Amino acid sequence: MRYLSTRGHAESQAFCDILLGGLAPDGGLYLPEIYPQVSAAELAEWRELPYHALALRVLQKFIDDIPACDLKTLVDRTYTAQTYRWCRAGRDAGDITPLTTLAPGFHLLELSNGPTLAFKDMAMQLLGNLFEYVLDKRHETINILGATSGDTGSAAEYAMRGKRGVRVFMLSPHGKMSAFQRAQMYSLADANIFNIAITAMFDDCQDIVKAVSNDAAFKARYKIGAVNSINWARVAAQVVYYFKGYFEASKSNDQHVDFCVPSGNFGNICAGHIARMMGLPIGRLVLATNENDVLDEFFRTGVYRPRSTAETCVTSSPSMDISKASNFERFVFDLVGRDADVVRELWKEVDAGRSFDLSKTPYFAKLPQYGFVSGRSTHADRLATIRDVWQKYGTMIDTHTADAVKVAREHVDARTPMVVLETAQPVKFAETIQEALGRDPMRPAELEGIENLPQRVAVMPADAEAVKAFVVRHCG
Ligand SMILES: *Cc1c(COP(=O)(O)O)cnc(C)c1O
């Protein structure tokens, strides 16, 4: 399997060569040259597999430059009941992404049972093991530099902690994350994890990462890498749970299943699009946004208008607070018939801070054939949905999942099962749960009191040079 860039200029690459990088050299995103297909016989065999075995089958379609026995070891080590142990009570221990049925034909797929209680663990834990394996083979090291407003940073740190050849330098906005999120990250004692709290906003953290990465000499000398949501391996790992969710929610492989996905950077739902392109019988992909509705606007109108920083608001589903969606280019590449020239022209506009409008093009007319529909949710909707799901079904959901449940309900079709992806556990967003339910969310016993553990974090001003100096000091 070779990978090409959505902007058409880069040489095609093998999986391991794009694993450690981010963007293609031409500024595009990597995608498989052709989507691997699943046969009816494969679907029949895969239906009964436990998660780790299913993951191997799916990932083998995308990864042909790691020997099968090595890949099996990495995948088996990643998807264990021990790592994904925070399933709600009473589950079969091997079932790491259980399906909860709320009402007939309406389900939640739990993806937040990993170490940081958000779905990002599903892919990031695999990335940690893949990085260690490939770096070891190549006798290389990497210094991951990232910015986080919460979920991504902790998922990256828990995936990379203790990994040979990897250091993580994670910037977060000082005092802007919840006490629980701070405790999750800053209490890690591993020698290869470095937390840096920047006395500014998340966007300033991101700007520092960009500034450091744009210093080509520094980047090469200190082997600066990233694990952000455009990383292809993360998208590939996420394809697996669409298969799992499909099998859980259907009785036979001639049925269709709809999925609803709370979306920010379009990474999660992009994996659903790819599963559908591989031949998994997904009916519709329902995209849910919060008040930051750039994607909902596109799927309704054909206009993609990235927002300014001033227009982007902080919401109670903060992991979906985006001004533009970094993985969206992957879908548009398919939508325009994989014409890299068209993508390049469109992103010339986006990169200059402008919008593009496909509404009067034949591409927009093709949207339904990709199954996409969309909707948006607000703070009031989240509160009402969390309350309703709690009162009706006794299930507590987090704010992001609530956005998806709200939008999914607007799109249910009585003949097709709907699977809502549950992307985080409520304990991560306790304030809003309090506001909705007047009670605290439950938390896994092992995480009781993590706010009281000693914390390790360097506080710094928003200054790229200071961050570079810190990296240099800690690279030995
Ligand atoms: C990251 C995240 C999302 C958004 O996922 P994308 O892949 O960026 O679309 C939704 N919910 C939670 C809890 C997240 O952490």
Side-chain angles (χ1 to χ4, degrees):
M1 171 63 65
R2 305 287 295 178
Y3 292 88
L4 46 69
S5 162
T6 50
R7 300 200 192 170
H9 276 164
E11 293 273 310
S12 78
Q13 302 275 344
F15 179 85
C16 289
D17 294 320
I18 61 171
L19 174 66
L20 302 171
L23 292 174
D26 61 2
L29 275 62
Y30 286 111
L31 270 178
E33 274 183 344
I34 46 163
Y35 290 121
Q37 296 297 301
V38 285
S39 65
E42 282 170 319
L43 280 182
E45 196 239 333
W46 294 3
R47 178 167 275 278
E48 306 303 330
L49 296 178
Y51 198 92
H52 60 96
L54 178 63
L56 180 66
R57 304 293 196 290
V58 173
L59 290 167
Q60 270 179 321
K61 300 232 170 223
F62 295 107
I63 307 173
D64 57 8
D65 53 345
I66 295 178
C69 54
D70 290 357
L71 188 61
K72 179 174 188 313
T73 306
L74 294 171
V75 168
D76 287 352
R77 190 190 299 155
T78 302
Y79 297 112
T80 64
Q82 173 60 21
T83 300
Y84 297 90
R85 66 181 170 282
W86 285 321
C87 293
R88 300 234 165 84
R91 305 285 183 180
D92 161 6
D95 186 9
I96 64 171
T97 59
L99 193 79
T100 304
T101 298
L102 294 184
F106 196 88
H107 316 275
L108 291 179
L109 185 67
E110 283 184 34
L111 300 176
S112 49
N113 297 318
T116 72
L117 310 178
F119 89 100
K120 292 187 173 71
D121 290 327
M122 294 302 299
M124 205 71 94
Q125 286 285 319
L126 180 70
L127 210 63
N129 286 324
L130 286 170
F131 269 38
E132 187 176 52
Y133 173 85
V134 171
L135 290 167
D136 208 44
K137 285 260 177 268
R138 298 181 171 187
H139 309 290
E140 286 175 16
T141 60
I142 194 169
N143 291 306
I144 293 166
L145 179 66
T148 187
S149 54
D151 289 340
T152 308
S154 54
E157 292 187 352
Y158 280 76
M160 302 295 167
R161 59 190 297 202
K163 293 281 183 275
R164 287 185 306 277
V166 184
R167 287 189 199 89
V168 178
F169 296 90
M170 190 57 66
L171 313 186
S172 50
H174 186 53
K176 300 285 187 307
M177 295 189 303
S178 73
F180 183 85
Q181 287 177 316
R182 283 200 302 275
Q184 271 191 315
M185 288 177 56
Y186 303 166
S187 68
L188 285 179
D190 304 80
N192 69 329
I193 303 295
F194 300 93
N195 285 300
I196 304 175
I198 300 291
T199 52
M201 306 297 285
F202 170 64
D203 283 321
D204 303 301
C205 299
Q206 255 184 332
D207 288 344
I208 295 173
V209 172
K210 267 187 218 141
V212 175
S213 303
N214 287 341
D215 179 344
F218 185 88
K219 188 175 176 199
R221 171 137 189 228
Y222 291 98
K223 305 186 171 59
I224 302 295
V227 290
N228 46 22
S229 83
I230 57 158
N231 182 291
W232 164 252
R234 283 182 60 182
V235 178
Q238 291 169 180
V239 171
V240 177
Y241 52 70
Y242 284 88
F243 280 84
K244 193 70 185 158
Y246 172 80
F247 293 133
E248 295 284 327
S250 65
K251 292 205 172 58
S252 80
N253 296 337
D254 36 56
Q255 262 179 287
H256 280 83
V257 171
D258 293 339
F259 283 86
C260 182
V261 188
S263 294
N265 272 318
F266 203 80
N268 196 354
I269 202 165
C270 185
H273 162 67
I274 290 166
R276 196 174 182 276
M277 296 298 278
M278 292 170 74
L280 184 68
I282 294 176
R284 284 167 312 157
L285 288 162
V286 182
L287 181 145
T289 71
N290 62 19
E291 291 88 337
N292 296 295
D293 57 357
V294 46
L295 287 170
D296 175 44
E297 180 175 82
F298 174 80
F299 285 101
R300 281 185 299 101
T301 67
V303 175
Y304 183 61
R305 185 177 67 81
R307 310 299 200 240
S308 66
T309 318
E311 272 177 294
T312 309
C313 48
V314 177
T315 73
S316 46
S317 46
S319 298
M320 294 156 65
D321 292 345
I322 47 111
S323 53
K324 56 184 170 196
S326 52
N327 273 291
F328 184 53
E329 183 172 339
R330 287 195 159 107
F331 172 68
V332 171
F333 181 65
D334 286 340
L335 183 66
V336 302
R338 300 204 136 204
D339 187 335
D341 294 333
V342 174
V343 172
R344 227 173 21 251
E345 287 306 308
L346 295 176
W347 258 265
K348 203 180 278 173
E349 297 300 306
V350 172
D351 290 339
R354 291 188 292 266
S355 52
F356 63 72
D357 179 359
L358 299 185
S359 65
K360 289 171 197 72
T361 68
Y363 307 130
F364 189 57
K366 289 209 177 102
L367 266 183
Q369 100 192 24
Y370 290 93
F372 277 91
V373 290
S374 72
R376 88 195 272 277
S377 162
T378 63
H379 182 69
D381 293 326
R382 279 190 281 288
L383 295 180
T385 307
I386 291 169
R387 218 173 277 141
D388 183 71
V389 169
W390 177 246
Q391 284 165 359
K392 278 211 184 83
Y393 313 114
T395 298
M396 200 185 283
I397 56 173
D398 95 291
T399 52
H400 306 76
T401 308
D403 287 330
V405 168
K406 186 263 179 185
V407 173
R409 284 173 160 172
E410 295 163 352
H411 290 278
V412 239
D413 141 24
R415 289 154 306 169
T416 315
M418 172 71 78
V419 173
V420 174
L421 301 191
E422 180 180 60
T423 53
Q425 295 211 12
V427 65
K428 295 196 90 166
F429 305 97
E431 270 177 34
T432 311
I433 300 298
Q434 256 298 346
E435 190 180 345
L437 303 179
R439 58 180 287 166
D440 279 329
M442 39 285 182
R443 79 163 61 182
E446 267 176 87
L447 297 180
E448 225 34 86
I450 68 164
E451 288 92 341
N452 304 326
L453 293 174
Q455 298 193 356
R456 211 165 52 98
V457 58
V459 181
M460 265 180 227
D463 173 6
E465 294 308 316
V467 170
K468 280 188 203 167
F470 183 91
V471 171
V472 172
R473 255 199 326 279
H474 291 92
C475 279

